[in-house]
């Protein structure tokens, strides 16, 4: 593969999308804080930066159309939280009620799924920041409204920065989305090859095929998320030349992913207790080579390098199953797998040829079809109404979190660290998850690798309880 000098441009092309996004957010916070500090003063700049930092949580790698409404909702929610805290300052009971109301409302954002998560933490972090701010100074009259004004200004400035950078970085995010899709496809091929390589050992031990499927299922779920993010970025404006440059190659990635899934469906029909033929094991080894080639192609995509050449297929020995085993084997399944392997190679060759095209290509798919594949960008109230029942996990999680925050707030006023009750609230919000198993896993992750869990001390104890 072509090597590149470590120039600033080459180094920038090595950055993944989440790091590019993080750097843009950091630059926005620094710019907003510096501009206000130079123009007005550092206290006002710090107040504005608190609002900007909270709103920046919603600034993720998403297309501009999907980012606009959540960013404005985050800015409005930040101001509302600051206003509630301001009105309740100096009154412990009223502040406690405000904490409970904000917490319960924040968790309900998850009624819209994963995209509501950042808004949840926006409100919680805004609550913590504003409680800390009002402990440092008791604002009254004009000072209170001035404080709220700077918080609002910081939030609005962050909205403007995020929407501007989303437009500027859209092309780079699209390129990195295609590269991430190639990496995910390569990992799926690797996982499929590992599953095939373990077939003889499982056959010797008499272990069912299903027992080793969990890594493959996890990788299939991972690639589904990666491909959906790429669809959202590429299909937002299919007429744009940069999007048309990548869409044909991305469709080729999806086609190869479908072939891998079809291979697994064939393998699920493999007769139990049947010896694994040599051609199948050789096919798994060649999948490893294809996966390595896709990783190199992904690097070339992200860094604008020369495209690697698809390695030639190795000769397959004993391409047909032994005659004496044909009755026991599902010979049709083996032949189908070998045909799919050839189709997979052709598909990878086609997708690489499409990716290597330097100019925008014509699209054969209707734009309405492409738009139907994108994640929804609206926020229907029907989602909220659907979770307003005790059977809904979202409502139960909101109730549990609110109760936990009430306990933390009460303890903060009777324990020695009563001067900073907001940090107990922060800990509860960060650790508590939708069920007990996830909460314990999050707690153990925060405690570090040296922490001994209940399951470590009592291996026989069940660990799959849910809250």
């Amino acid at each position: 593969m072509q090597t590149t000098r470590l120039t600033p441009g080459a180094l920038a092309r090595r950055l993944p999308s989440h790091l590019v996004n993080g750097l843009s957010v950091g630059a926005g916070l620094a710019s907003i804080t510096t501009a206000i500090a130079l123009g007005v003063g550092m206290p006002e700049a710090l107040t504005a930066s608190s609002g900007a930092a909270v709103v920046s949580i919603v600034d993720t790698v998403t297309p501009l159309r999907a980012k606009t409404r959540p960013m404005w909702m985050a800015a409005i929610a930040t101001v509302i939280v600051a206003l509630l805290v301001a009105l309740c300052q100096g009154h412990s009971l009223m502040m406690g009620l405000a904490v409970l109301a904000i917490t319960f409302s924040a968790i309900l954002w998850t009624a819209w799924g994963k995209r509501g998560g950042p808004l949840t933490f926006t409100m919680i972090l805004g609550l913590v920041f504003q409680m800390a701010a009002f402990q440092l100074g008791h604002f009254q009259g004009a000072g209170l409204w001035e404080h709220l004004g700077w918080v609002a200004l910081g939030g609005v400035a962050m909205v403007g920065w995020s929407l501007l950078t989303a437009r500027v970085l859209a092309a780079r995010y699209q390129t990195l989305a295609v590269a991430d899709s190639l990496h995910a496809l390569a990992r799926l091929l690797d996982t499929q090859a590992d599953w095939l390589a373990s077939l003889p050992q499982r056959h010797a031990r008499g272990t069912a095929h299903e027992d080793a499927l969990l890594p493959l299922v996890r990788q299939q779920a991972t690639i589904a998320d990666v491909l959906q993010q790429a669809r959202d970025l590429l299909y937002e404006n299919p007429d744009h030349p940069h999007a048309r440059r990548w869409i044909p190659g991305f469709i080729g990635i999806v086609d190869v992913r479908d072939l891998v899934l079809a291979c697994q469906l064939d393998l699920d029909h493999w007769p139990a207790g049947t010896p694994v033929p040599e051609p199948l094991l050789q096919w798994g080894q060649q999948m490893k080579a294809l996966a390595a080639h896709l990783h190199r192609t992904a690097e070339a995509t992200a860094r604008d390098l020369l495209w690697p050449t698809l390695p030639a297929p190795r000769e397959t020995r004993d391409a047909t199953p032994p005659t004496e085993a044909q009755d026991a084997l599902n010979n049709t399944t083996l032949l189908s797998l070998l045909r799919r392997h050839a189709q997979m190679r052709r598909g990878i060759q086609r997708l690489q040829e499409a990716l290597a095209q330097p100019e925008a290509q014509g699209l054969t798919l209707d734009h309405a079809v492409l738009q139907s594949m994108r994640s929804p960008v609206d926020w229907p109230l029907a989602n909220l109404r659907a979770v307003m029942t005790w059977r809904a996990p979202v409502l139960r999680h909101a109730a549990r979190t609110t109760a936990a925050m009430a306990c933390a707030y009460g303890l903060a006023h009777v324990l020695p660290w009563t001067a900073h009750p907001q940090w107990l609230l922060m800990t509860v919000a960060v650790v508590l998850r939708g069920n007990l198993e996830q909460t314990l896993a999050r707690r153990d992750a925060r405690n570090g690798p040296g922490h001994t869990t209940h399951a470590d001390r009592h291996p026989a104890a069940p660990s799959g309880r849910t809250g």
Side-chain angles (χ1 to χ4, degrees):
M1 178 176 292
Q2 177 187 359
T3 58
T4 58
R5 297 174 57 190
L6 292 181
T7 62
L11 289 173
R13 285 192 291 271
R14 292 173 178 265
L15 299 178
S17 57
H18 63 272
L19 189 51
V20 173
N21 176 247
L23 289 175
S24 74
V25 170
L29 289 173
S31 301
I32 293 169
T33 304
T34 302
I36 297 177
L38 293 177
V40 183
M42 185 55 69
E44 291 80 3
L46 292 177
T47 302
S49 67
S50 69
V54 170
V55 174
S56 71
I57 296 174
V58 185
D59 187 357
T60 57
V61 183
T62 52
L64 179 63
R65 192 182 308 173
K67 181 179 289 189
T68 303
R69 189 177 297 179
M71 291 298 300
W72 282 113
M73 289 192 295
I76 294 172
T78 299
V79 175
I80 292 175
V81 169
L83 178 60
L84 287 176
V85 175
L87 295 177
C88 297
Q89 62 171 325
H91 304 280
S92 298
L93 179 59
M94 295 297 295
M95 184 66 75
L97 293 176
V99 166
L100 301 187
I102 292 170
T103 301
F104 188 80
S105 303
I107 301 299
L108 290 182
W109 281 113
T110 57
W112 287 273
K114 185 168 62 174
R115 58 193 173 124
L119 286 162
T120 292
F121 209 70
T122 289
M123 294 183 68
I124 299 296
L125 190 62
L127 171 66
V128 172
F129 279 9
Q130 294 308 314
M131 290 180 68
F134 279 99
Q135 279 192 337
L136 293 175
H138 194 73
F139 301 102
Q140 292 291 343
L144 186 151
W145 294 108
E146 182 181 354
H147 173 85
L148 294 177
W150 286 116
V151 171
L153 178 62
V156 171
M158 194 67 222
V159 172
W161 176 273
S162 299
L163 298 183
L164 175 63
T165 54
R167 188 180 298 275
V168 172
L169 296 173
R172 185 58 185 164
Y173 284 154
Q174 289 173 352
T175 301
L176 292 175
V178 174
D180 290 342
S181 300
L182 286 166
H183 278 307
L185 179 60
R187 288 190 291 268
L188 182 63
L189 284 171
D190 264 329
T191 307
Q192 178 74 80
D194 292 338
W195 191 89
L196 278 172
S198 65
L199 270 177
Q201 292 82 359
R202 294 202 303 276
H203 168 68
R205 295 194 304 264
T207 307
H209 294 340
E210 292 79 3
D211 296 341
L213 282 178
L214 185 58
L216 189 58
V217 172
R218 286 175 175 166
Q219 192 56 50
Q220 290 170 359
T222 299
I223 193 174
D225 285 341
V226 174
L227 294 181
Q228 188 56 52
Q229 184 178 40
R231 289 189 191 96
D232 294 340
L233 292 167
L234 291 171
Y235 296 169
E236 182 187 26
N237 185 10
D239 288 327
H240 192 278
H242 194 271
R244 289 168 54 199
R245 157 81 171 80
W246 294 117
I247 287 176
F250 173 74
I251 293 174
I253 295 172
V254 176
D255 290 341
V256 176
R257 188 280 309 263
D258 293 343
L259 281 172
V260 178
L261 299 184
C263 289
Q264 187 58 45
L265 291 175
D266 284 343
L267 288 169
D268 289 341
H269 292 90
W270 194 261
T274 301
V276 182
E278 184 64 22
L280 197 56
L281 298 179
Q282 293 175 19
W283 176 52
Q285 294 170 2
Q286 294 197 38
M287 288 182 72
K288 283 283 188 181
L290 292 176
H293 170 74
L294 286 173
H295 279 303
R296 293 192 296 270
T297 304
E299 292 297 325
T301 301
R303 302 183 189 181
D304 195 23
L305 302 177
L306 292 179
W307 301 93
T309 303
L310 183 67
R314 288 180 290 182
E315 291 294 329
T316 301
R317 302 185 306 274
D318 193 14
T320 58
T323 304
E324 61 270 19
Q326 285 189 0
D327 292 338
L329 286 173
N330 187 342
N331 192 40
T332 304
T333 300
L334 178 58
L335 295 178
S336 175
L337 286 167
L338 295 178
R339 282 195 299 269
R340 291 193 194 281
H341 177 224
Q343 293 172 351
M344 196 179 300
R345 287 189 60 86
R346 290 195 297 269
I348 291 175
Q349 182 64 50
R350 285 195 300 269
L351 79 85
Q352 181 168 319
E353 291 172 354
L355 291 174
Q357 295 293 326
E359 302 295 338
Q361 306 169 59
L363 299 180
T364 57
L365 291 177
D366 185 78
H367 287 189
V369 175
L370 296 179
Q371 292 297 318
S372 68
M373 299 178 186
R374 298 178 63 234
S375 300
V377 296
D378 56 339
W379 296 75
L381 290 178
N383 289 41
L384 185 59
R385 290 193 295 267
V387 302
M388 301 307 288
T389 170
W390 194 243
R391 294 182 178 180
V394 170
L395 187 64
R396 295 201 301 270
H397 179 44
R400 282 194 301 267
T401 305
T402 303
M405 295 285 265
C407 294
Y409 185 80
L411 288 173
H413 284 79
V414 298
L415 293 177
W417 47 84
T418 181
H420 304 286
Q422 63 273 10
W423 299 122
L424 270 74
L425 303 180
M426 184 73 166
T427 301
V428 170
V430 169
V431 173
L432 198 62
R433 287 297 183 265
N435 59 53
L436 180 59
E437 184 178 12
Q438 294 174 356
T439 300
L440 294 178
R442 180 64 176 170
R443 178 207 63 185
D444 296 341
R446 284 174 58 82
N447 287 334
H451 177 70
T452 302
T453 65
H454 177 77
D456 294 328
R457 294 190 299 268
H458 306 283
S463 59
R465 298 167 295 170
T466 59

